[in-house]
Amino acid sequence: MPSQDELFDAVDALLEEEPQLPPPEERARLRETAGITQARLAAVLKTSTQTVKNWENGRSEPKPPRLEAYQRLLKGWAAKYPAHAAPAAPAVAPQPEAPQTFTRVPTVEQDEAEPDIGVAVKPAPERPARPAARPATSSRRSAAKKAAKPAVDPRFPHGPLAVLDGDGSAYAVGGVVLDCPATTVPELVEWTLRESGLGAPKLNRYGKDSDPLIVLTAAAAVKLGLPERLEGHEQRRSLRLPEDHPVVKQVAKAKWQLTQRGFGPWARIYRKAQGRDRQCVQLAILSWDALDERSWPGVAEMEPADIARVLGVYAQRVITPRGSTAVSGLELMTALRPPTKAVQDPETGNWVSGHNPGSLGTEPMDPAPPEATPEHPVVVNSGWTGGFLNEEAYQWVRSVDTLSDEECTLPFAVGLDLNTAFLAAAARLVVGLSGPDHFHAPKFNPKIPGSWLADLSHIELDPRLPSPFTPDGSRPTGPAWYQTHTLAYAQQLGYDVHPIEAYLRRETGAYLDPWHDRLKDAYVDTLADMGVTKDLDDAAFLAAMDQHKQNDPALAAVLSAIKATVKGGVGKLRERPQGKHYKEGETWPALSRPTWRPDIRAAVISKARVNMHRKLNNMAKMTGLFPLAVLSDCVVYPSPSESPLDFLPYAASGKPQPGAFRLGPTPGLAKLEGVQPMLWAVDLMEKGLNPARHIKGGDAVLDEGE
């Protein structure tokens, strides 16, 4: 039992604690509701307008005696202007007869999980003085060119990340080089948090600041006691240091923790949060293949300053990397729409964590059986045998029997690729935010997201085009499950749609809108930096695209990572179990995420495939041209020349015809993918291979069986 003196000391310490303030966004709301300007409040509290701004955006906290006065004022305003809590989700299941009244949540801005490092409640302690940064001087430090300069957050003067080399030089963005004295991983973590000035501000008012990232070269890893390579027979992404490794023991001895994924190519080292300060650092080890060559071409072999530039531009425009580009794509969704926000408990007046409307919440959600995968517990435990959604991207090759003599005599096959087709499909995409409800014989409503069982086998379309209802382009043979966009497109084509049953969601919203907007800007801005701008005419656009990667390999790597972030983020929404020891019916780690949402993935892919078919159909109507093959976002057409300008439809004014394929640098518009002889394409088609897969060039036989 504690002594009386110990209890008294604890009580005295509690009494001496600083008064607690509502979160910064609530401070601003209360002031604005009261009709008081920041300048007037600053005059009342005898401080500067900038200081009040800092209090309201979370960059600083008031100190006594202003703290107590500010708290008294906010309490008074809170009593007069109480915050409205978010409405609770409806507890009553919808009536199965006619699902007509579904709620669309307004697209408000919205968190992440892993690790749970605490809730911000206390003012941040003063940071110690940071070491002066030295400018890059040698040739390896000359990579500061052309990276866009973001507004500098005073808390993170040296940007979001640094690349640490073996000599202790930490290369940050903008050509800045810091001196890092750390010789162990715990020392590196302490230096990063206390002295480096690294980090990035949150992307949403209810979110969290991005933790600093330290990228280790092979020499830096060895200096810190890590092996230069991680060896093993399993997939490299699953490799980890053993728990008895000296570095893992050092981390534990210094009272730091590793997340459940352990010390691998992307390691997160943290302690529970102290007040507003998250204590977490992420490490990426280059020689452990942290940067996948497919997403970051050539980056791992660059000089440290160039790596810092590539990752810095990506962090500024997308997010500080958190792992693979797929992981970063998923983390960007939750960073832009955090699941929680601070709400005031009407009974106690305390600020507590509450649901953020428009987000996916904090709890994982079981899918409807047809939306799940065959190994999912929902399927295995229920004995479901009713079939599954098959909303996947196109992999279609036209039958050579449908080729006309005129098509066969054209000299070239030209491939067009749609820019980030999945991203274009995510724009203004309404998805379900609540759990699925089951309906029998519902009336089809194209505005309600969900999965519908319907028979589209009676619909007969031109065999020179793929069916819009199946990934392989074949005609449906009977009842099947479809996502809302697929059925809506059948309706748009003029066919009756009579669902047999459906799993629909009552609460809906454009969850992916902020994700789309940020990635679209990142893609367009990066292309513009490479000389491909929106104001180019089609001929100039093709010329610019022909040599844009040679202009700046570093920015070419950023562009590649942005595209991989889109596809990987969508793919992560239905991440399958990993590892040879998995048994059907068991849960797997991805199922614990609120962002494990196969229905949202299906909605994106369904809309992307429908968008592709709509363009194919319009092209046939406008030009009489039919494709040879389609693979996801790439389509191959027979052409009289090597240029798409000779077969794309243009109005008499010279402007591209809307509705068909159009060239341009924005998501959903097209670029030239490749050109090959028409005979080459027909030969592949006769072998059952897809010309769209190989239109860039190379020996198609090498990829046979893909």
Side-chain angles (χ1 to χ4, degrees):
M1 292 290 290
S3 67
Q4 188 179 63
D5 288 344
E6 289 174 329
L7 290 173
F8 280 6
D9 288 343
V11 169
D12 289 343
L14 186 62
L15 290 171
E16 291 171 3
E17 277 194 10
E18 292 180 340
Q20 299 304 299
L21 296 171
E25 59 271 10
E26 177 63 10
R27 304 170 200 173
R29 184 194 73 81
L30 290 170
R31 177 186 55 73
E32 290 167 357
T33 306
I36 304 300
T37 65
Q38 290 176 327
R40 185 177 175 194
L41 177 56
V44 169
L45 295 178
K46 305 294 191 290
T47 187
S48 68
T49 303
Q50 183 60 49
T51 297
V52 172
K53 288 181 180 179
N54 291 343
W55 294 347
E56 291 185 358
N57 61 30
R59 291 185 175 178
S60 68
E61 295 291 330
K63 300 287 191 295
R66 291 188 181 88
L67 175 60
E68 291 79 5
Y70 190 36
Q71 183 201 37
R72 182 175 181 179
L73 177 63
L74 293 175
K75 278 187 174 180
W77 280 340
K80 292 175 66 178
Y81 314 113
H84 297 291
V92 181
Q95 296 302 311
E97 298 84 53
Q100 298 291 338
T101 56
F102 281 56
T103 304
R104 179 164 181 175
V105 173
T107 53
V108 295
E109 296 182 322
Q110 326 274 309
D111 174 319
E112 60 136 79
E114 198 260 337
D116 180 9
I117 314 177
V119 180
V121 290
K122 290 185 179 179
E126 294 292 328
R127 288 182 181 269
R130 298 189 177 95
R134 51 189 170 91
T137 54
S138 69
S139 60
R140 73 186 307 189
R141 300 171 191 170
S142 61
K145 60 172 184 173
K146 290 181 78 171
K149 294 263 185 179
V152 176
D153 188 307
R155 298 170 300 158
F156 312 118
H158 298 143
L161 55 88
V163 181
L164 181 63
D165 207 357
D167 62 357
S169 296
Y171 297 82
V173 297
V176 168
V177 185
L178 306 171
D179 291 311
C180 175
T183 57
T184 67
V185 169
E187 288 177 359
L188 174 61
V189 172
E190 295 282 356
W191 174 83
T192 303
L193 291 174
R194 310 279 177 255
E195 301 179 45
S196 70
L198 296 173
K202 57 193 176 186
L203 299 179
N204 179 282
R205 64 187 299 187
Y206 301 127
K208 302 171 184 174
D209 295 334
S210 288
D211 300 315
L213 168 64
I214 300 293
V215 181
L216 303 180
T217 66
V222 171
K223 178 182 176 181
L224 295 170
L226 297 167
E228 183 172 344
R229 300 286 303 175
L230 265 185
E231 301 299 338
H233 300 293
E234 298 181 47
Q235 291 179 323
R236 181 155 302 280
R237 63 180 173 184
S238 65
L239 293 180
R240 303 289 180 265
L241 286 182
E243 292 186 7
D244 60 354
H245 190 279
V247 171
V248 177
K249 289 183 176 180
Q250 284 177 0
V251 170
K253 185 177 180 181
K255 301 293 191 296
W256 290 98
Q257 299 179 34
L258 292 165
T259 57
Q260 288 186 345
R261 57 185 175 185
F263 207 123
W266 291 87
R268 293 180 68 74
I269 303 174
Y270 73 98
R271 285 178 184 151
K272 292 290 183 181
Q274 300 296 316
R276 291 191 180 277
D277 258 13
R278 283 165 60 85
Q279 299 185 91
C280 185
V281 173
Q282 180 153 295
L283 304 181
I285 297 98
L286 291 173
S287 57
W288 295 5
D289 298 334
L291 298 180
D292 190 315
E293 175 69 17
R294 293 167 298 180
S295 302
W296 302 95
V299 176
E301 307 305 319
M302 293 179 179
E303 294 292 341
D306 293 303
I307 298 172
R309 177 185 171 223
V310 170
L311 296 180
V313 172
Y314 179 88
Q316 172 209 338
R317 293 180 175 172
V318 182
I319 193 172
T320 303
R322 295 283 305 271
S324 67
T325 47
V327 169
S328 296
L330 201 65
E331 292 292 342
L332 181 63
M333 294 179 194
T334 49
L336 292 167
R337 284 205 191 276
T340 61
K341 68 174 183 177
V343 297
Q344 195 167 27
D345 187 320
E347 295 182 3
T348 65
N350 294 332
W351 289 90
V352 296
S353 180
H355 175 65
N356 192 12
S359 75
L360 298 182
T362 58
E363 297 300 322
M365 184 182 298
D366 278 341
E371 297 166 350
T373 55
E375 68 271 16
H376 194 285
V378 162
V379 174
V380 176
N381 295 339
S382 68
W384 173 261
T385 57
F388 299 95
L389 277 176
N390 188 24
E391 299 288 11
E392 302 295 339
Y394 269 133
Q395 294 194 52
W396 171 80
V397 180
R398 183 172 155 196
S399 170
V400 291
D401 296 336
T402 65
L403 292 175
S404 67
D405 292 341
E406 183 182 359
E407 286 176 313
C408 290
T409 57
L410 289 171
F412 296 103
V414 174
L416 295 176
D417 181 71
L418 294 182
N419 302 322
T420 56
F422 287 171
L423 186 62
R428 299 177 296 283
L429 177 68
V430 176
V431 300
L433 301 179
S434 55
D437 293 304
H438 192 199
F439 299 89
H440 290 283
K443 181 180 178 182
F444 179 64
N445 186 333
K447 295 184 179 180
I448 299 176
S451 305
W452 312 74
L453 180 65
D455 190 348
L456 303 181
S457 60
H458 62 285
I459 300 178
E460 186 171 359
L461 299 173
D462 194 313
R464 293 172 293 180
L465 291 176
S467 166
F469 311 125
T470 59
D472 65 1
S474 61
R475 181 174 175 175
T477 57
W481 288 95
Y482 299 100
Q483 202 276 334
T484 298
H485 283 88
T486 304
L487 278 195
Y489 187 57
Q491 203 174 58
Q492 291 169 20
L493 292 174
Y495 298 95
D496 289 335
V497 174
H498 301 289
I500 302 165
E501 60 179 304
Y503 287 89
L504 309 176
R505 286 171 165 79
R506 174 174 291 274
E507 188 179 340
T508 68
Y511 172 72
L512 292 173
D513 262 7
W515 185 80
H516 163 271
D517 293 349
R518 186 165 177 85
L519 284 167
K520 176 186 176 182
D521 288 345
Y523 182 83
V524 171
D525 291 348
T526 304
L527 264 182
D529 285 348
M530 301 168 75
V532 186
T533 55
K534 294 181 183 179
D535 58 349
L536 298 176
D537 63 30
D538 284 0
F541 167 75
L542 290 173
M545 287 296 295
D546 187 48
Q547 44 101 53
H548 74 291
K549 291 183 180 180
Q550 289 73 40
N551 288 347
D552 193 327
L555 285 179
V558 174
L559 192 69
S560 171
I562 292 169
K563 292 189 285 188
T565 302
V566 173
K567 284 194 174 181
V570 172
K572 276 279 186 181
L573 292 168
R574 198 194 66 171
E575 184 176 358
R576 305 291 285 269
Q578 310 289 336
K580 58 186 178 183
H581 302 297
Y582 174 76
K583 294 181 181 178
E584 196 172 80
E586 294 178 345
T587 61
W588 60 93
L591 299 188
S592 64
R593 297 192 317 249
T595 48
W596 195 85
R597 290 293 302 272
D599 57 300
I600 296 180
R601 173 186 178 273
V604 172
I605 297 176
S606 167
K607 186 178 173 186
R609 196 182 67 246
V610 163
N611 286 349
M612 172 64 84
H613 189 276
R614 186 179 287 111
K615 288 181 170 62
L616 297 172
N617 204 23
N618 288 339
M619 278 286 290
K621 292 176 181 177
M622 294 177 188
T623 67
L625 284 178
F626 291 87
L628 303 176
V630 183
L631 181 71
S632 187
D633 47 11
C634 178
V635 56
V636 177
Y637 275 102
S639 173
S641 76
E642 297 182 74
S643 173
L645 298 176
D646 289 330
F647 67 83
L648 290 176
Y650 291 88
S653 64
K655 292 186 177 180
Q657 291 281 22
F661 292 101
R662 296 173 57 187
L663 300 175
T666 55
L669 298 187
K671 60 181 179 291
L672 179 63
E673 179 73 0
V675 182
Q676 296 291 340
M678 181 65 179
L679 290 177
W680 168 92
V682 174
D683 183 52
L684 285 187
M685 294 165 69
E686 289 176 338
K687 294 176 180 177
L689 297 174
N690 193 323
R693 186 183 300 278
H694 312 291
I695 194 70
K696 278 188 174 180
D699 187 350
V701 178
L702 295 176
D703 289 328
E704 192 165 6
E706 282 190 359

